[in-house]
Every structure is written in C-alpha cells, then in structure tokens.
C-alpha cells in the first residue's frame, strides 16, 4: 500500500548574523525533526538539513505522522566588559521548536529563535546517613541529554561547579530530556 508523503517547509526567524550569515564560511544552523510519539514505522534516523542563505529549510518525502521540528544554534560572539575593558566574546544558545502534523499535504512552519534557559539548583545531603563531601566546591553537576529518535543525541548544555553553599547554575539549557 502506497502512503502519500509530504514536505515540511520552514523558516527560522532570529538574529540576522545567526540565521543568514553573510560570509561564505559562516556556519548556518542545522534543523532536525523526529516523530513526536516515536512510533512511526520505518523512521530510523533523525533527518537534518542546513538553512539556506535566506533562513529557509525543507524536508522532503515525510511520512504521515506527528513530528517535532527543532533548531539549536549559538549566537554570534559579542564583546563582554571585563576588568580593564572589553574582553573575550560571549555567545548565547538560541533555540526553537514546533510540533507539526503531516497528512500528505505540504506543511509550513516558522521557528522563532529565543535564548536558552538557565537551570539552577542546590545540593542537599541527608547527613543522618552520609556526611556531605568537603569542600562542596570539589563537586560538579552534569546535565546529560538523552538520545533523540534514531540515536542522535541532543546537545548537552554541560556542567557546573557547586559553590561553597551547594548552589549551582547551568546555562544554555534547551527543551529536552536530560539525566
């Protein structure tokens, strides 16, 4: 039985230097998609396409089903003020995601880039069973991303050092499943 496939066309909206780099060597963001419910027969990998110079993308021959379309990119470096004036560049993680339904007709989607989130927390120890390690500043908290459909890992934001009071902050966190 033949199943009608469709096309997912889209555009990424965000800072000009990220979405439409003017230098030929400028790296353009990659857009991915995967089944939302992970049960579409025959779906074995996570397709990726690079944005064209106008910030547009297309996925061809997409089987009917529910999908999540995603883009994650680092912003262009911006100078930051440090001691004694401007210093190294700061980069911000930007992301966008959208759920789409494919039923045989072409699908249009707009992904609006927005800054990634920050996760903060506090280490707590039950001192009745095990004393906390000393000093707490020797500890690190790592946020590991779980794999998407087809085994492609989503980007991990990294790790943070715990301060003397047990607090930590991890920046650059985008929606996803982590452990």
């Amino acid at each position: 039985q033949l199943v009608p496939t469709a096309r997912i066309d889209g555009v990424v909206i965000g800072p000009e230097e990220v979405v439409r780099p003017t230098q030929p060597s400028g790296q353009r963001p990659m857009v991915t998609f995967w089944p939302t419910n992970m049960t579409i027969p025959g779906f074995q990998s996570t397709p990726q396409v690079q944005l064209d110079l106008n910030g547009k993308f297309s996925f061809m021959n997409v089987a009917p089903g529910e999908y999540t379309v995603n883009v994650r990119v680092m912003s262009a470096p911006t100078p930051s003020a440090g001691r004694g004036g401007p210093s190294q560049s700061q980069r911000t993680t930007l992301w966008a995601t959208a759920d789409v339904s494919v039923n045989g007709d072409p699908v249009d989607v707009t992904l609006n880039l927005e800054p990634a989130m920050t996760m903060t927390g506090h280490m707590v120890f039950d001192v009745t069973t095990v004393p906390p390690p000393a000093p707490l500043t020797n500890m690190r908290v790592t946020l590991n991303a779980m794999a998407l459909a087809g085994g492609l890992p989503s980007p991990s934001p990294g790790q943070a050092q715990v301060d003397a009071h047990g607090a930590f902050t991890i920046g650059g966190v985008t929606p996803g499943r982590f452990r």
Side-chain angles (χ1 to χ4, degrees):
Q1 175 181 3
L2 294 177
V3 175
T5 60
R7 188 176 69 237
I8 298 174
D9 292 322
V11 63
V12 175
I13 307 295
E16 189 77 18
E17 69 276 3
V18 172
V19 178
R20 297 177 241 342
T22 55
Q23 299 176 8
S25 63
Q27 184 176 351
R28 295 187 306 268
M30 298 295 286
V31 180
T32 60
F33 81 96
W34 60 87
T36 303
N37 62 8
M38 304 296 210
T39 60
I40 295 176
F43 196 93
Q44 297 179 0
S45 65
T46 304
Q48 298 183 58
V49 295
Q50 190 174 47
L51 293 180
D52 69 13
L53 292 175
N54 295 310
K56 296 181 179 182
F57 63 92
S58 289
F59 291 102
M60 308 300 279
N61 301 318
V62 180
E66 304 294 319
Y67 296 92
T68 298
V69 181
N70 182 274
V71 62
R72 181 180 191 268
V73 65
M74 296 299 288
S75 70
T78 57
S80 64
R83 292 183 188 170
S87 62
Q88 63 255 51
S89 299
Q90 296 293 317
R91 294 172 59 107
T92 302
T93 301
L94 302 170
W95 68 277
T97 189
D99 291 330
V100 298
S101 181
V102 175
N103 61 11
D105 296 323
V107 175
D108 290 319
V109 62
T110 299
L111 298 173
N112 292 298
L113 291 173
E114 55 187 273
M117 295 159 276
T118 301
M119 184 181 92
T120 60
H122 191 88
M123 300 293 291
V124 178
F125 295 90
D126 181 358
V127 294
T128 60
T129 57
V130 177
L136 290 178
T137 55
N138 286 341
M139 296 184 66
R140 293 203 173 278
V141 175
T142 303
L143 191 59
N144 292 315
M146 296 178 68
L148 302 172
L152 181 72
S154 65
S156 291
Q159 59 179 280
Q161 185 170 348
V162 177
D163 72 14
H165 304 288
F168 62 89
T169 300
I170 300 175
V173 180
T174 60
R177 296 181 63 190
F178 300 92
R179 56 180 173 177

